[in-house]
């Protein structure tokens, strides 16, 4: 029989022996009857003396009964969804547009089940891309096709690599994490409640994932921007890439939410789209030591504790909207991100050790569809949210000196509405200029941020706003559009053979949910193909 013991608290330096002893003491079983055990989940509880809160799974002999406890549950493994293997597939190769987490995982799933896909990615392969990004950070020279947002690995390649998600699809998530481990991720991601990889590890994983797909017959084309779809009788028959037509019956559109040219051609082709809400704000940087102290208190010097993170929310009240933190990067770096000329946005990244001296996070305010109606353009009826984002990103670019530097201010000056003359000497971002940032965001966002950030800083014990750096602005938290698809087959609601998925289609947010969505689309195609 298999059981799971919940809420087991063990010291940070627990051993295998400690795990076994906690099973014995909580169940009354004898050591000889416990056949195997493993940790299923591990979260840090630092409210008092820091401990790990564990979920332990164990197998025991069928003829013994552990003593009853609220923390003990009999465990019956889920039966994960199994996809059919397509033998001798002779159809046209499915085309996957975009090699971010969505596209890569859709590709792997299809390839593992007998349908080798062809992947077109506008940016470069991961290693070449890394060099291009280095050049951009150093010189401000932007390659619009291969940058922090575009290229193999997708938007999250140069990220903190946080693998947190609210997805309930546990078995698909497990499959994704196991593939990451096969490609070199640490095994701890399989159990930690707040797993993360870091850009350095992601840069090793992504090429291995590509190799896995190639070994199973998949084909990759980098520096290949898909510029149009060919649709006949409401059905995709091909794509246009590098001015060439490529035939296909299945086009998985996994282009992320920065591919504005894609939204435009979809809109022109009258593919069903609908506007959606998203969030806009700023990226804030503070001392990592402050965050550690706020979270760990007197235990802050414990060498077993990792750089702390935070997740803060302020509810909407009176005239102020809600404000919440997003994509927090412990020990990280603030990035200037751009994918088209004359526009920038912010985001953050960190390395696997998260050992920088500063922490950053997006502080965002929700934006509703009604907020951006003024940006409506008749030519592109559902893309007002995207034009609203662009309008802010153009202001960011100009305020930053038009060289892809981020307009930046001390929180003190942002609150007063004045220009910052000098930034803290140790800020993480190589492309930041001190300036006045209050004219960049709409009033309703500034008002909420100026009201909320100081209160949120007080939770972190930071009362000196001169030490808080505000980078303007964060505009691409999620897609401003949803590309509609049906629930049964996950196909576009008005175009057969088109499978919009991942973050850009509005069905995911973050690395894990995007990867899960890609897998789900591949499963739909496999199911459908097996029935033909
Ligand atoms: C700096 C940064 C840090 C982040 N940190 C985290 C984090 O720590 N944790 C987390 O969960 N999420 C993070 N995110 C968000 C995460 O990266 C995205 O949610 C995720 O990558 C979305 O996956 P996707 O595959 O749907 O889209 P994307 O990752 O955007 O991938 C889309 C791909 O399609 C390609 N493409 C676009 N248009 C075309 C075209 N016309 N032809 C061919 N190819 C095309 C793009 O080049 C890109 O590679 C971060 C994002 C950024 C920018």
């Amino acid at each position: 029989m298999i059981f799971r013991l919940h809420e087991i608290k063990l010291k940070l330096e627990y051993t295998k022996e400690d795990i076994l002893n906690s099973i014995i003491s909580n169940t009354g079983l004898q050591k000889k009857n416990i056949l195997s055990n493993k940790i299923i989940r591990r979260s840090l509880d630092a409210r008092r003396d820091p401990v790990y809160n564990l979920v332990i799974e164990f197998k025991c002999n069928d003829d013994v009964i552990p003593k009853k406890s609220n923390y003990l549950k009999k465990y019956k493994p889920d039966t994960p969804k199994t996809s059919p293997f397509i033998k001798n597939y002779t159809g046209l190769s499915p085309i996957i547009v975009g090699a971010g987490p969505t596209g890569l995982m859709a590709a792997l799933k299809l390839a593992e089940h007998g349908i080798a896909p062809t992947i077109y990615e506008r940016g470069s392969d991961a290693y070449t891309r890394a060099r291009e990004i280095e050049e951009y950070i150093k010189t401000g020279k932007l390659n619009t096709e291969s940058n922090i947002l575009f290229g193999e690995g997708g938007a999250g390649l140069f990220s903190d690599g946080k693998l947190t998600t609210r997805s309930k699809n546990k078995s698909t998530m497990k499959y994704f994490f196991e593939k990451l481990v096969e490609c070199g991720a640490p095994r701890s991601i399989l159990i930690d409640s707040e797993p993360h990889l870091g850009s350095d590890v992601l840069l090793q994983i992504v090429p291995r994932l590509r190799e896995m797909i190639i070994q199973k017959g998949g084909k990759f084309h980098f520096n290949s921007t898909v510029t149009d779809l060919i649709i006949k009788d409401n059905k995709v028959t091909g794509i246009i890439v590098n001015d060439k037509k490529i035939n296909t019956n299945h086009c998985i559109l996994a282009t992320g939410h920065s591919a504005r040219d894609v939204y435009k051609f979809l809109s022109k082709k009258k593919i069903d789209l609908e506007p959606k809400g998203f969030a806009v704000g700023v990226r804030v940087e503070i001392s990592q030591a402050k965050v550690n102290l706020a979270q760990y208190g007197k235990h802050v010097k414990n060498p077993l504790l990792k750089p702390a993170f935070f997740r803060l929310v302020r509810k909407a009240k009176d005239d102020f909207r809600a404000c919440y933190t997003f994509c927090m990067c412990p020990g990280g770096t603030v990035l200037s991100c751009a994918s088209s000329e004359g526009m920038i946005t912010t985001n953050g990244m960190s390395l696997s050790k998260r050992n920088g001296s500063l922490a950053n996070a997006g502080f965002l305010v929700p934006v509703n569809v009604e907020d951006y109606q003024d940006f409506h353009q008749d030519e592109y009826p559902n893309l007002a949210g995207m034009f609203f984002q662009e309008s802010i990103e153009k202001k960011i670019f100009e305020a930053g000196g038009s060289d892809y530097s981020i307009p930046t201010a001390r929180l003190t000056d942002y609150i007063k509405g004045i220009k910052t003359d000098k930034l803290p000497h140790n800020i993480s971002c190589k492309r930041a200029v001190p300036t006045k940032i209050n004219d960049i965001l709409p009033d309703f966002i500034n008002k909420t941020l100026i009201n909320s950030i100081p209160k949120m800083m007080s939770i972190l014990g930071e009362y000196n706003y001169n030490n808080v750096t505000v980078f303007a602005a964060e505009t691409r938290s999620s897609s401003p559009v949803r590309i509609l698809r049906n629930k049964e087959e996950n196909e576009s609601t008005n175009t057969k053979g088109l499978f919009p998925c991942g973050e850009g289609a509005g069905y995911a947010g973050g690395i894990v949910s995007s990867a899960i969505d890609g897998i789900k689309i591949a499963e739909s195609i496999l199911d459908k193909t097996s029935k033909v």
Side-chain angles (χ1 to χ4, degrees):
M1 271 183 295
I2 304 175
F3 289 89
R4 281 189 175 181
L5 257 178
H6 296 253
E7 302 279 333
I8 299 301
K9 308 258 195 274
L10 289 183
K11 57 185 192 288
L12 300 184
E13 56 277 49
Y14 66 82
T15 61
K16 283 188 174 162
E17 202 60 23
D18 295 331
I19 297 170
L20 191 60
N21 287 338
S22 63
I23 301 173
I24 293 170
S25 61
N26 280 283
T27 61
L29 292 175
Q30 291 181 9
K31 190 173 171 180
K32 64 176 186 198
N33 290 321
I34 301 164
L35 305 176
S36 64
N37 69 71
K38 62 181 176 190
I39 294 174
I40 294 299
R41 201 103 189 111
R42 181 172 74 176
S43 56
L44 178 72
D45 183 348
R47 284 169 297 180
R48 291 184 206 95
D49 284 352
V51 286
Y52 277 127
N53 191 346
L54 303 172
V55 179
I56 299 171
E57 185 176 295
F58 66 92
K59 217 186 236 180
C60 62
N61 285 323
D62 287 350
D63 53 351
V64 293
I65 301 171
K67 82 176 175 214
K68 276 197 177 154
S69 145
N70 288 341
Y71 303 120
L72 183 74
K73 294 198 174 89
K74 202 161 175 187
Y75 177 68
K76 207 168 146 253
D78 296 340
T79 4
K81 178 177 166 37
T82 48
S83 293
F85 186 89
I86 313 296
K87 266 196 200 154
N88 309 322
Y89 178 73
T90 52
L92 290 169
S93 177
I95 282 174
I96 298 180
V97 191
T102 307
L104 287 172
M105 289 315 291
L108 182 63
K109 190 77 193 177
L110 284 175
E112 279 182 339
H113 289 262
I115 304 188
T118 307
I119 298 111
Y120 291 95
E121 166 54 58
R122 71 194 304 157
S124 308
D125 67 276
Y127 287 134
T128 311
R129 184 183 172 200
R131 287 199 300 276
E132 288 160 345
I133 290 171
E134 213 173 288
E135 172 81 2
Y136 164 74
I137 292 174
K138 233 190 268 165
T139 64
K141 210 171 125 224
L142 174 71
N143 175 343
T144 55
E145 300 304 293
S146 194
N147 46 58
I148 292 174
L149 300 162
F150 290 161
E152 188 187 21
L157 187 65
F158 294 88
S159 76
D160 177 55
K162 267 176 292 303
L163 299 177
T164 38
T165 175
R166 276 188 241 129
S167 170
K168 300 265 177 290
N169 191 343
K170 297 274 182 265
S171 57
T172 306
M173 193 161 104
K174 186 164 175 268
Y175 164 83
F176 174 48
F177 280 25
E178 282 170 353
K179 291 296 162 192
L180 290 176
V181 170
E182 268 181 60
C183 293
R187 292 196 67 78
S188 56
I189 65 164
L190 301 173
I191 59 169
D192 280 339
S193 63
E194 298 282 345
H196 92 106
L197 297 169
S199 294
D200 46 340
V201 174
L202 276 162
L203 194 54
Q204 290 165 16
I205 289 175
V206 167
R208 289 184 195 150
L209 201 53
R210 182 210 315 150
E211 273 316 304
M212 239 182 211
I213 297 164
I214 291 173
Q215 272 171 19
K216 296 189 187 307
K219 291 194 180 68
F220 279 80
H221 299 271
F222 294 111
N223 308 110
S224 300
T225 306
V226 173
T227 48
D228 209 352
L229 295 176
I230 303 163
I231 299 172
K232 229 176 168 183
D233 302 329
N234 299 324
K235 199 174 176 318
V236 167
T237 58
I239 58 159
I240 302 289
V241 56
N242 298 335
D243 295 327
K244 269 204 331 237
K245 181 184 168 196
I246 313 284
N247 295 329
T248 188
N249 297 320
H250 300 95
C251 174
I252 298 182
L253 199 67
T255 43
H257 64 45
S258 288
R260 292 171 172 162
D261 49 351
V262 173
Y263 290 138
K264 282 185 174 170
F265 75 61
L266 293 176
S267 176
K268 284 213 153 158
K269 285 247 149 18
K270 302 207 178 335
I271 304 294
D272 284 342
L273 307 174
E274 87 183 0
K276 65 179 266 302
F278 49 97
V280 167
V282 289
R283 194 148 275 261
V284 172
E285 184 165 82
I286 63 167
S287 142
Q288 180 65 45
K290 278 270 168 181
V291 180
N292 293 346
L293 189 64
Q295 304 290 45
Y296 299 144
K298 66 177 183 185
H299 302 286
V300 72
K301 295 233 160 78
N302 183 333
L304 294 173
L305 288 171
K306 304 214 169 104
F309 66 92
F310 58 82
R311 204 175 275 130
L312 303 171
V313 183
R314 270 184 73 75
K315 287 193 185 143
K317 202 176 166 204
D318 307 325
D319 280 351
F320 304 114
R321 295 200 182 185
C323 179
Y324 63 91
T325 58
F326 170 78
C327 187
M328 193 258 157
C329 301
T333 304
V334 175
L335 294 174
S336 150
C337 305
S339 53
S340 34
E341 308 252 349
M343 296 181 223
I344 51 171
T345 183
T346 55
N347 215 309
M349 62 154 273
S350 37
L351 299 175
S352 52
K353 289 205 166 94
R354 288 177 161 173
N355 56 358
S357 62
L358 296 158
N360 69 72
F363 281 63
L364 302 185
V365 176
V367 170
N368 308 317
V369 175
E370 309 80 65
D371 293 321
Y372 55 70
Q373 284 316 310
D374 291 352
F375 292 84
H376 171 84
Q377 291 187 13
D378 285 342
E379 201 185 349
Y380 302 106
N382 289 303
L383 302 187
M386 182 185 98
F387 295 122
F388 169 75
Q389 288 176 327
E390 283 190 349
S391 74
I392 298 172
E393 292 175 13
K394 282 179 192 158
K395 286 189 190 168
I396 307 174
F397 181 74
E398 280 159 26
S402 304
D403 67 353
Y404 298 97
S405 297
I406 307 176
T408 306
R410 292 181 192 254
L411 179 58
T412 328
D413 300 331
Y414 182 39
I415 294 169
K416 288 186 191 154
I418 59 172
K419 178 176 182 288
T420 288
D421 289 323
K422 207 164 164 235
L423 293 168
H425 69 278
N426 63 340
I427 61 166
S428 67
C429 181
K430 300 272 185 299
R431 304 203 67 79
V433 280
T435 186
K436 178 180 169 192
I437 60 168
N438 299 64
D439 302 328
I440 294 169
L441 291 169
D443 280 350
F444 74 89
I445 298 178
N446 273 332
K447 213 168 122 186
T448 297
L449 291 173
I450 288 171
N451 175 268
S452 307
I453 298 173
K455 296 188 173 93
M456 293 158 98
M457 284 299 121
S458 68
I459 299 170
L460 299 172
E462 183 56 273
Y463 298 96
N464 181 350
Y465 303 151
N466 264 327
N467 292 340
V468 179
T469 313
V470 184
F471 298 84
E474 190 116 339
T475 52
R476 301 193 200 177
S477 61
S478 69
S479 172
V481 186
R482 183 165 290 113
I483 310 172
L484 299 181
R485 65 189 194 199
N486 62 41
K487 284 212 168 72
E488 304 75 46
E489 284 166 339
N490 295 309
E491 260 175 328
S492 152
T493 43
N494 67 349
T495 308
K496 289 250 164 241
L498 178 65
F499 296 84
C501 61
E503 191 163 57
Y507 295 95
I511 295 169
V512 179
S513 62
S514 301
I516 289 177
D517 201 50
I519 296 164
K520 180 171 154 183
I521 293 297
E523 287 171 348
S524 297
I525 294 175
L526 289 164
D527 283 347
K528 202 171 161 191
T529 311
S530 71
K531 287 176 196 147
V532 175

